[in-house]
Amino acid sequence: MLGAEKNFNGRTALITGASSGIGAETAVLFGSQGAHTLVHYGQNLKGASAVVEKIRDAGGSASLVSADLSTVSGIKHFAETIQALKNPVDILVNNAGSLIQRKPFLEISEHLWSEVFTLNLTSAFLISQTVLPSMVERRLGWIVNVSSVAARFGGDLGAIAYSSAKAALSTTTKGLAREFGPMGIHINAVSPGTIDTNYHKKFSKPEALAAVVAATPMERLGTSADISEVIGFLCSEGARFVHGQIIEVNGGFLMV
Ligand SMILES: NC(=O)c1ccc[n+]([C@@H]2O[C@H](COP(=O)([O-])OP(=O)(O)OC[C@H]3O[C@@H](n4cnc5c(N)ncnc54)[C@H](OP(=O)(O)O)[C@@H]3O)[C@@H](O)[C@H]2O)c1
């Protein structure tokens, strides 16, 4: 984590999927650097509560928000909750996402395809649509979407819906950056390589992870902090002229 500076004092940050992994680390970063942090979770209340506690222990302020982002009704309900907040969101990190199930292409049902797209793409669309009007009114805001290296190469076997949704999220990022840059909103994406989180406990075999390490010049998997620190940077003054970019963070596994 970055130092103890209060870089985000007075800001409100909403981090989706903050109950574990990259989102949890990102929430702790913003929360411990002064932002009032909304820690979103889907099912893992225990993980999200631990994140809130960590932020409060660091002297910060945080609250829990929950929603299932794999259904449009769940996202819309979440959007209403965000709209009802006293303080508008200044920093949005669209991080919640998942492969949901690894499936060969011929076995992907329409339901699974649409669920994966809803979680990884539509949630970012609708949540961004919810927070942007106030950002525009105030000419102030940062959005970081969490894409994936899979968007660049099609993903490992069984991940076509996921990699396609992430590719669309990267493109959405660029379109949003064009439209909202002139209104003072900073919009980028971070594209993690293989990061050692629950995601891979669920979806990847140890041999596959070992093969990634072997193909990575930095000779290791990424950590959640490797990603959260880049997200923090993208929302900082130092990144004031970084806009509409998909920042690859993968230890050199894929160089674009
Ligand atoms: N790990 C990697 O190698 C890697 C690589 C590239 C991109 N990414 C992306 O990074 C992001 C974070 O993943 P991670 O690796 O940190 O995995 P993780 O530890 O499994 O975290 C995923 C987060 O997303 C939330 N989430 C999943 N399904 C949800 C649903 N239906 N509704 C609401 N929230 C839901 C989870 O919340 P609950 O558990 O509380 O439901 C959790 O907080 C994801 O978008 C992922 O696609 C990860």
Side-chain angles (χ1 to χ4, degrees):
M1 199 197 302
L2 295 174
E5 314 93 48
K6 299 290 181 194
N7 295 326
F8 304 109
N9 250 344
R11 305 277 184 236
T12 297
L14 167 60
I15 319 299
T16 67
S19 53
S20 62
I22 294 167
E25 197 72 33
T26 305
V28 171
L29 183 147
F30 283 107
S32 58
Q33 292 191 33
H36 173 65
T37 302
L38 303 165
V39 176
H40 161 267
Y41 68 98
Q43 310 226 315
N44 184 0
L45 171 61
K46 196 169 159 215
S49 303
V51 169
V52 168
E53 207 175 301
K54 231 171 161 176
I55 293 172
R56 290 181 182 158
D57 285 350
S61 126
S63 32
L64 287 169
V65 273
S66 143
D68 179 4
L69 301 181
S70 69
T71 67
V72 171
S73 60
I75 300 169
K76 289 196 167 155
H77 186 254
F78 185 53
E80 284 165 16
T81 309
I82 297 167
Q83 253 158 353
L85 292 171
K86 197 168 75 183
N87 294 322
V89 171
D90 304 305
I91 297 168
L92 167 64
V93 182
N94 285 310
N95 165 77
S98 173
L99 182 56
I100 300 185
Q101 274 181 62
R102 210 179 263 289
K103 281 271 180 203
F105 181 69
L106 295 178
E107 292 174 23
I108 300 175
S109 64
E110 267 180 59
H111 175 78
L112 177 59
W113 182 269
S114 139
E115 199 182 4
V116 171
F117 268 72
T118 301
L119 174 58
N120 293 281
L121 179 66
T122 312
S123 70
F125 156 53
L126 290 172
I127 298 168
S128 301
Q129 217 173 42
T130 304
V131 303
L132 271 163
S134 159
M135 288 182 174
V136 168
E137 204 179 301
R138 296 176 291 133
R139 286 191 73 80
L140 177 141
W142 292 260
I143 296 180
V144 179
N145 292 325
V146 179
S147 183
S148 170
V149 68
R152 295 272 184 187
F153 73 95
D156 289 334
L157 287 179
I160 291 181
Y162 172 78
S163 56
S164 303
K166 291 295 194 185
L169 182 62
S170 293
T171 304
T172 300
T173 305
K174 295 178 191 175
L176 284 172
R178 272 186 201 288
E179 188 169 339
F180 291 96
M183 301 173 205
I185 319 302
H186 305 264
I187 301 176
N188 289 286
V190 67
S191 168
T194 303
I195 311 302
D196 193 6
T197 66
N198 285 345
Y199 177 103
H200 291 289
K201 290 189 183 83
K202 263 186 240 161
F203 299 119
S204 305
K205 297 200 168 110
E207 320 73 274
L209 296 177
V212 171
V213 172
T216 300
M218 296 210 77
E219 298 182 323
R220 65 171 175 86
L221 298 180
T223 65
S224 294
D226 290 334
I227 306 303
S228 64
E229 291 186 22
V230 176
I231 295 174
F233 169 70
L234 289 171
C235 300
S236 74
E237 178 59 17
R240 61 193 168 273
F241 205 51
V242 182
H243 189 62
Q245 303 303 314
I246 315 302
I247 310 291
E248 304 293 331
V249 187
N250 59 40
F253 173 80
L254 188 82
M255 302 183 201
V256 296

